[in-house]
């Protein structure tokens, strides 16, 4: 049984999603990536992927890395964002639950040992993938919400971010 600290501490942290390169993913044995949308790839207000996001997904595909969008947001948001990408996409995913992640991996024909998750929240994204013994990659939120609920979640995450930074300080 993993400790709360192990479940919530990410395996890798990057400044932005596009710092997660196909070369890096291949170097750690990753062939598929389950990706959050909101505050990971784009702010909530950005309805569709920009050219930078589209090029990043093209680079993953060119390297043979499969990708799926896994969002807790609702179908209209996820469908509109995915319209030009054409990826497997899952709305109302219930992260940190495992069900949608398992469904996405089954659809992509991959297993947890070659799949990682990319997101901006430890309490949903990291916990979800660590519940399946997968690698968690976290980026800071692009434009964080300032509601009391989100502030509380970020406060809970702080010690685990600090733990990661201490462990990986060079």
């Amino acid at each position: 049984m993993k400790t709360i600290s192990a479940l919530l501490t990410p395996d890798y942290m990057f400044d932005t999603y596009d710092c997660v390169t196909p070369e890096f993913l291949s170097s750690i044995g990753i062939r598929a990536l389950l990706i959050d949308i909101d505050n990971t790839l784009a702010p909530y207000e950005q309805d569709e992927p920009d050219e930078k996001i589209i090029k990043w997904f093209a680079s993953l595909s060119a390297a043979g890395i499969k990708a799926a969008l896994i969002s807790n947001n609702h179908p209209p948001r996820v469908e509109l964002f995915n319209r030009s990408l054409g990826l497997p996409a899952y709305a109302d995913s219930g992260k940190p639950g495992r069900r949608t992640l398992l469904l996405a991996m089954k659809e992509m024909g991959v297993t947890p040992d070659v799949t990682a998750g990319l997101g901006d929240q430890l309490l949903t994204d990291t916990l979800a993938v660590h519940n399946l013994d997968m690698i968690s990659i976290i980026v800071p939120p692009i434009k964080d919400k300032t509601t009391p609920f989100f502030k509380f979640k970020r406060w809970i995450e702080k010690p685990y971010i600090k733990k990661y930074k201490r462990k990986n300080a060079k």
Side-chain angles (χ1 to χ4, degrees):
M1 184 87 180
K2 285 189 174 184
T3 65
I4 293 293
S5 182
L7 288 169
L8 291 177
T9 303
D11 299 297
Y12 299 96
M13 290 184 74
F14 289 88
D15 291 335
T16 60
Y17 73 87
D18 58 331
C19 292
V20 182
T21 63
E23 295 78 18
F24 166 74
L25 294 169
S26 294
S27 77
I28 60 170
I30 297 302
R31 295 193 338 240
L33 196 56
L34 306 179
I35 307 158
D36 178 56
I37 297 171
D38 296 314
N39 270 333
T40 300
L41 296 175
Y44 288 92
E45 304 80 33
Q46 184 178 325
D47 292 336
E48 299 184 56
D50 57 26
E51 198 59 37
K52 183 177 173 186
I53 293 169
I54 292 168
K55 285 180 181 178
W56 181 71
F57 275 108
S59 74
L60 294 178
S61 179
I65 296 170
K66 298 177 181 185
L69 299 174
I70 310 290
S71 177
N72 280 350
N73 211 324
H74 304 298
R77 160 67 168 155
V78 175
E79 290 165 8
L80 180 58
F81 193 86
N82 189 44
R83 186 172 55 195
S84 64
L85 296 171
L87 298 167
Y90 303 85
D92 294 328
S93 69
K95 291 180 291 184
R98 304 163 17 140
R99 182 185 58 81
T100 304
L101 281 70
L102 290 167
L103 183 62
M105 287 186 285
K106 182 178 180 183
E107 183 175 327
M108 292 190 297
V110 295
T111 55
D113 61 312
V114 295
T115 307
L118 171 61
D120 71 298
Q121 294 186 54
L122 303 184
L123 295 174
T124 53
D125 303 310
T126 295
L127 184 55
V129 299
H130 278 173
N131 276 330
L132 291 167
D133 291 323
M134 294 166 43
I135 289 174
S136 166
I137 304 168
I138 289 293
V139 295
I142 294 169
K143 183 180 175 188
D144 216 0
K145 287 186 173 181
T146 57
T147 63
F149 176 69
F150 269 82
K151 285 181 178 181
F152 179 69
K153 283 175 44 169
R154 296 301 183 190
W155 178 77
I156 290 173
E157 293 176 342
K158 277 185 182 180
Y160 304 104
I161 301 271
K162 284 182 181 176
K163 178 183 176 189
Y164 172 85
K165 288 180 178 179
R166 267 193 321 270
K167 180 181 167 191
N168 293 285
K170 293 187 176 186

